[in-house]
Amino acid sequence: MSRILSVEDLHVSFDTYAGEVKAVRGVSLYVDEGEVLAIVGESGCGKSVTAQTLMRLNPEPPARIPHGEIDLCGHDIVNATDKEMRAIRGNNVAMIFQDPMTCLNPTMQVGKQLVEAIRLHQKMSADGAAKEAIGLLELVRIPNAAQRAKQYPHEFSGGMRQRVMIAMALSCKPQLLIADEPTTALDVTIQAQIMDLLADIQKQTNTAIILITHDLGVVASLANRVAVMYAGKIVETGSVEDIFYRHSHPYALALLNSLPKPDTARSEKLISIPGTPPDLLAPPKGCPFASRCNYAMKVCKGNMPPYFQVGEGHKAACWLLHKDCPASAKEAFNRG
């Protein structure tokens, strides 16, 4: 199995009038061929900034990459020129964005938009590109694809527009597909359909996928591995089973506890995470989750925890995993 993406110690900052916003702080991750990696966390934790940096979509300035390496299919993304990035986008990596209505041209038929994307990256005749576009619409389960290709985005429902965006992302057969909260604007039933569609396409094409989401509930059926992100850092990473059943970071536990449970009595309130994420204009010296953590110790607030190996492919950055951590603190967390 070949490695599609390797990210090492990535830092991304935004220079603003108020100062430097350290949006991503030392992220390291990888994705192998045919694998699905989910990056989960609250809004503002750096998920989308990380994803957009992989394609160099953040406007530079104000965005900049002070440190880090990104190897995507053998390409050095950090040092790539604009011309090189135009060739890499689409051919090697593509993205499905959150809101399809703002990403589709309202004045063009959806078929023509697909043809334009195909011909931009592939040497194909207009007729060949038109047939390919219809085939892509059929792949994403849009009925009467030939007729619907002649329609405009406003004639499609939200779920159908998202299917068009998936078709457009797949138009150049990328090795890596980034899905940035692709179901955010959709109702629950359509969310399930889109996630099933992504799962089927991944099996058919063996495309590697990075799924960006704040909802752990959509992860279980699609992802192979999960990276839990908080305040610009990955605090825990492991397989889906590791994160759901052997989680070792209090933030992962808090996210899981905040999910609605089908067997919960109606009178019981949903559990929320108290407090707010830290200000990344002045990130904390210690663990970024310490001020909101029920298990925080004195060491947490003054010292950033290193990664501790929990199991094969499973690691977490939490002082509770240190060999000298009091047994009472570990027991309290295990009960949580």
Side-chain angles (χ1 to χ4, degrees):
M1 185 180 295
S2 60
R3 183 138 299 175
I4 300 296
L5 173 72
S6 179
V7 179
E8 293 293 335
D9 196 23
L10 179 66
H11 293 253
V12 182
S13 294
F14 290 85
D15 294 316
T16 70
Y17 290 113
E20 179 188 3
V21 178
K22 298 177 180 179
V24 176
R25 305 185 296 139
V27 164
S28 296
L29 55 85
Y30 68 90
V31 181
D32 290 330
E33 181 183 8
E35 185 179 41
V36 181
L37 171 68
I39 303 178
V40 302
E42 292 172 277
S43 296
C45 72
K47 306 185 302 296
S48 293
V49 172
T50 300
Q52 290 173 20
T53 302
L54 301 180
M55 296 181 68
R56 292 280 296 279
L57 292 178
N58 297 311
E60 302 173 15
R64 58 186 174 88
I65 304 174
H67 186 70
E69 298 176 3
I70 303 172
D71 184 305
L72 175 62
C73 303
H75 299 285
D76 180 359
I77 299 300
V78 173
N79 297 307
T81 64
D82 290 343
K83 182 179 180 180
E84 289 170 337
M85 285 308 306
R86 283 194 294 271
I88 292 168
R89 296 183 193 117
N91 290 323
N92 297 115
V93 59
M95 181 177 282
I96 306 167
F97 295 94
Q98 294 184 31
D99 187 358
M101 197 57 189
T102 60
C103 299
L104 293 170
N105 187 333
T107 67
M108 286 181 66
Q109 296 172 351
V110 296
K112 288 185 177 180
Q113 295 187 55
L114 280 167
V115 168
E116 185 178 68
I118 292 167
R119 298 196 72 191
L120 182 65
H121 293 279
Q122 299 185 46
K123 293 180 180 179
M124 194 176 289
S125 66
D127 288 342
K131 290 179 182 177
E132 180 74 9
I134 293 171
L136 285 166
L137 292 177
E138 291 173 343
L139 177 66
V140 297
R141 303 176 190 167
I142 291 181
N144 304 315
Q147 288 74 31
R148 303 225 64 182
K150 300 175 184 177
Q151 294 181 319
Y152 293 86
H154 72 270
E155 298 179 87
F156 286 72
S157 67
M160 286 297 178
R161 285 196 294 266
Q162 193 61 283
R163 290 169 190 259
V164 172
M165 286 300 302
I166 295 171
M168 192 171 292
L170 293 170
S171 62
C172 299
K173 301 177 176 62
Q175 293 166 281
L176 176 64
L177 181 64
I178 301 173
D180 187 2
E181 303 201 34
T183 60
T184 295
L186 307 175
D187 63 53
V188 175
T189 303
I190 304 303
Q191 280 184 19
Q193 292 178 7
I194 295 297
M195 296 310 295
D196 287 343
L197 174 61
L198 283 174
D200 286 347
I201 288 173
Q202 193 274 332
K203 290 176 183 176
Q204 291 178 43
T205 63
N206 201 37
T207 303
I209 296 177
I210 294 179
L211 174 64
I212 309 292
T213 181
H214 61 270
D215 185 358
L216 276 170
V218 305
V219 169
S221 62
L222 182 61
N224 304 113
R225 291 187 299 111
V226 181
V228 182
M229 198 165 182
Y230 184 78
K233 299 181 74 68
I234 291 178
V235 296
E236 184 170 5
T237 183
S239 68
V240 171
E241 290 78 13
D242 287 333
I243 301 303
F244 275 81
Y245 304 112
R246 297 181 289 274
H247 41 269
S248 298
H249 196 284
Y251 182 58
L253 172 63
L255 285 178
L256 287 163
N257 284 340
S258 67
L259 290 174
K261 296 175 178 58
D263 56 349
T264 301
R266 291 192 177 188
S267 59
E268 292 186 29
K269 293 183 178 180
L270 290 174
I271 300 172
S272 62
I273 304 174
T276 56
D279 183 0
L280 294 183
L281 277 166
K285 292 181 180 180
C287 174
F289 191 59
S291 63
R292 307 174 71 187
C293 180
N294 294 329
Y295 314 99
M297 301 172 287
K298 186 177 180 179
V299 67
C300 301
K301 296 183 178 180
N303 299 273
M304 186 75 72
Y307 286 107
F308 295 93
Q309 200 70 35
V310 184
E312 185 178 355
H314 182 199
K315 62 181 181 179
C318 182
W319 287 115
L320 288 170
L321 298 169
H322 193 278
K323 61 182 179 63
D324 294 329
C325 175
S328 57
K330 293 182 179 180
E331 289 171 4
F333 175 74
N334 291 332
R335 288 196 301 269

